Every structure is written in structure tokens, then in C-alpha cells.
Amino acid sequence: MIAVIDYGAGNIFSVKNALDHLGYENILTKSETDIKNADAVILPGVGAFPWAMKMLSESGLVDTIKTEARKKPFLGICLGMQLLFDKGFEFEECAGLGLIKGHVDRIEETDLVIPHMGWNKLEINHDCPLFNGLSEDEYVYFVHSYKAFCDDENLYAYCEYGHKVPALVSDGKTVFGAQFHPEKSGKTGLKILENFVMLSREGK
Amino acid sequence: MLAKRIIPCLDVRDGKVVKGVNFQGIKEVGDPVECAYEYNLQGADEIVFYDITASHEGRGVMLDVVRNTAKKVFVPLTVGGGIKTVDDIRETLRAGADKVSVNSQAVRDPMLIKEGADIFGSQCICVGIDAKKVSDGKWTVYINGGRIDMKLDLIDWVKQVEQLGAGEICLNSIDTDGVREGFDIPMLDAVCKAVKIPVIASGGAGKLGDFADAFLKTDCSAALAASLFHFKELTVEQVKDDCRAKGIRIR
């Protein structure tokens, strides 16, 4: 069972649709028990950083997420990826989940359009099980105005938009974050989601 | 950098895909969910549903189409046609659309763009524009499916649209739409130079090279076509291969 955390953020149905399509049992939930019992957890998100952290803490899920994310495959998507870091600076400074070292701030590119929206090429920095079966020429779909600033060791893939934009980050163990939307990235995105779910089935 | 997008558009009336020429002579060509799925397999970067149903009941049917498509198509979906209020936008996004395209109502009430962008984010709000040439370098904006000339200067309007927070512009040329001799390059170029937000070329694609032509001659971010893909004269894949062969960055 995959728990998709439902804390009031938009468009979680597309994540559910993608998991359903792949044939993986999943549940949209904000229950601590569901998250604890799940084989893998996805934290989606569309919206603003401080608002999302507030919703998570009001749901009483912050500690559960911090603990469970170290025990089983955990994937943050878009804003859900940004929340994995120590802090964010969207509107105001706000503490994140602190699962990966780094912070989130506005994309500063004077010549480029913000939001960074569209299909951009995934440049692999370190290999990772989520990239199994992908070619060297894969595009994924992005929609965001803020980006992560993190250490090279946590940067598994990026794309070029003026400067490097972190696309896939990880603690190298169980925590993963995708700035792009795998659920909107066609075959490539579905493959990444499938690879993620497979992590929870290893050794079972 | 971002890849240039190829976008098939499905004109939908009462839950069926239809296609007209120069806004007239409409005929039915199929089931929208199946068509969208087929385009997805061909490598479409995004799919646009344009609801040409006039009735209120038709809107519900359209939302079902979006819901069903979102279950099997995993690329961004845009819905346009008949979106008049913030509630219409909300309802459409909830059904599974990633963006909405507002057209006539945005001209009548430009604040719809701002309200939509403030509530749902600029990335959700595409402004569709139908325009027609007045003289060299001058075009005006039409509403109601190209029937009413608002005497509104196109370049003034696109600047206003950007300033109000639109995330994207879908620019349809009434002069080239249905003529199948290529996109309206002068109009497209003028709009791309006037704004920074992405511009989608629409109206006029008739052959393979027309798409690459738009990308090579203007800074447009995407090109959209309907009948060419419906009648299977070309597949999205063929168009993408042609663009790639000409050095254009394509997914």
C-alpha cells in the first residue's frame, strides 16, 4: 500500500490516477496510522511553502513524516520535494521537514520566464534506482517558481534553466524528492514512479 | 532549456470531438478520451480540449471527459471554451485539468485573468486570443469564436494579459485558421516580441514543415493543431521528428 498524503494541497488526484494506472494499491490519507502502515509514502504538493507546512503541522503529521521517511521509500513531488529541505523562503522564512540539507528560494533568472514551466531535459548527476531503465535523453514536466539549493551529494539530477535547477534530490537512502511532476511526465514519469514503488518491494 | 511543445487540440461539443473549417461546417470525428489517449501515445507534449458546447449541461459532460482522460493520459491537460468565472476555473482544475484557457470572457472582464492567477497560480491560466489582420503590423482581437471584432489592438492586449498574470498565451490567427498554409508568422513574431510569457502558435498548420517553420522564424514555445492530427494526415511523432531533424529541441 502506498500512502499519498492528503493535506489539502491541489491536484493530488493526478498522483492517484498515475498509481492506479500502474496498478499499485494506494490511499489518499492524512492518517498517521496509514502512513505508518504504508510500504511507501508520497508527499505531493501545489501551493506555497509556509502554507503547506502549516497544513502538515495542523494535521499533526510532521513528526510522523520525519520518522517514517527514514524507514521506507518516501517521495516528495514539486512543493512536496521542496518541503524536504531545512527551510524555505517563499514569502517568509519557514522551517521545512529537514530531511535533506539545504534550502528553497526563488529562481532568480532575469532573462527567463518564471514560473519555469514545461518539458526540460533530465541531466543525471549521480545514478539512482529511480533512473532504472531511463535513456540519456529523457524530458520531464516542471511547473515551479522556487528551487532547491543543496549539496552536490544530494543532487541526483538537475535540468538547465539559466542555472542548474535541482530536479531529483535524495538523502542517498530512503528519501527522494522530484521537483518535476512524474505524474505529468508521460512514460518517463510513470517509469520513475514505478521505480520508486519497486524500492518498497525489494526483499519482499 | 525547455523543449518546444507540440500540442494537439480537440474541439469538443456535447462530449464528442468535432472539427469545423473557418468556424463553420462542423462534423463529428470521435471520442475525446480515445483521441487524447492516442495523441498521448504519439508523444503529444500537452493536450488541449476546446469546449464549443454552448449549453450549461454540456459543461458537465466536458468535465467528465477531463476526468476520464486524466485517468489514462499523463501529460498536462488544458481546457478552454466557455470558462467565465473563478468557479468555472476551480471546477475544471478539480476535474483534472492542469490549465484552463480563457478567451472571450477575459476580453470582457480582464480581471478574471488576475483573479485566476492570484488564486490558482499563473501556470494554470492560459489566455486564448483570436485575432485578425487590419493592416501590416496591426491586428485586432475578436471574441465569440471569431465573430465579434472588439477593435482592441492585439499588441496592447497581449501586454495587458501578461501584466495581469497570465502564464501563457494561445494565439490563433483567424486569417490562417483552416487555410492550412502555415501559421501566421508575422502576427506570431509580433506577439512573441511583445511579451516574455510563452506563446502557443495556433491556426494554419497544413503540412509537416509548418511547425518547424514557426519555431525557426519566431520565439514561440509551442505549436497547436487540430484537424491535421484528427484526420491522421500527420502524427505528432512525424511532426516531432521533422523538428528534431531541423535542430529544434523537442522531447
Side-chain angles (χ1 to χ4, degrees), chain B residues 6 180 182-183 204-215 223 228-229 233-246 248:
Chain B
I6 302 296
R180 306 170 60 93
F183 293 101
K207 59 182 185 302
L208 192 59
D210 289 343
F211 295 84
D213 219 35
F215 294 134
L228 201 62
F229 295 132
E233 290 164 48
L234 287 176
T235 64
V236 174
E237 210 165 7
Q238 285 172 315
V239 169
K240 291 182 120 183
D241 285 344
D242 180 64
C243 290
R244 240 180 245 119
K246 290 170 180 164
I248 296 158

Side-chain angles (χ1 to χ4, degrees), chain B residues 43-74:
Chain B
D45 295 308
E46 195 169 316
I47 290 163
V48 174
F49 288 116
Y50 204 78
D51 187 7
I52 59 169
T53 313
S55 68
H56 183 71
E57 299 76 50
R59 282 206 56 76
V61 176
M62 188 65 223
L63 295 178
D64 283 338
V65 167
V66 177
R67 253 176 235 117
N68 292 328
T69 306
K71 285 180 186 154
K72 51 201 288 196
V73 173
F74 299 99

Side-chain angles (χ1 to χ4, degrees), chain B residues 110-111 113-115 117-118 157 159-166:
Chain B
M111 288 313 282
I113 302 171
K114 181 164 167 44
E115 286 170 23
D118 284 350
W157 177 232
K159 286 181 179 168
Q160 195 189 344
V161 158
E162 177 175 50
Q163 204 244 327
L164 288 167

Side-chain angles (χ1 to χ4, degrees), chain A residues 47-112:
Chain A
F49 195 110
W51 174 85
M53 281 309 294
K54 184 167 166 270
M55 297 304 279
L56 283 179
S57 57
E58 279 174 8
S59 309
L61 294 177
V62 174
D63 290 336
T64 311
I65 290 174
K66 285 183 181 175
T67 315
E68 295 302 310
R70 298 288 188 208
K71 293 187 191 164
K72 60 182 76 157
F74 188 96
L75 175 65
I77 296 175
C78 198
L79 178 63
M81 168 265 208
Q82 298 182 352
L83 298 176
L84 300 175
F85 291 91
D86 298 318
K87 53 186 167 181
F89 294 93
E90 187 168 0
F91 305 127
E92 60 194 40
E93 184 175 335
C94 175
L97 295 165
L99 289 161
I100 298 179
K101 208 168 88 182
H103 70 276
V104 173
D105 208 343
R106 197 165 169 82
I107 304 175
E108 293 292 352
E109 296 293 347
T110 46
D111 296 337
L112 296 170

Side-chain angles (χ1 to χ4, degrees), chain B residues 12 21 40 57 80 83 99-100 173 180 182 202 218 230 241:
Chain B
V12 178
V21 178
N40 173 50
E57 299 76 50
I83 291 172
K99 309 178 196 179
V100 295
S173 166
R180 306 170 60 93
S202 164
T218 76
H230 283 315
D241 285 344

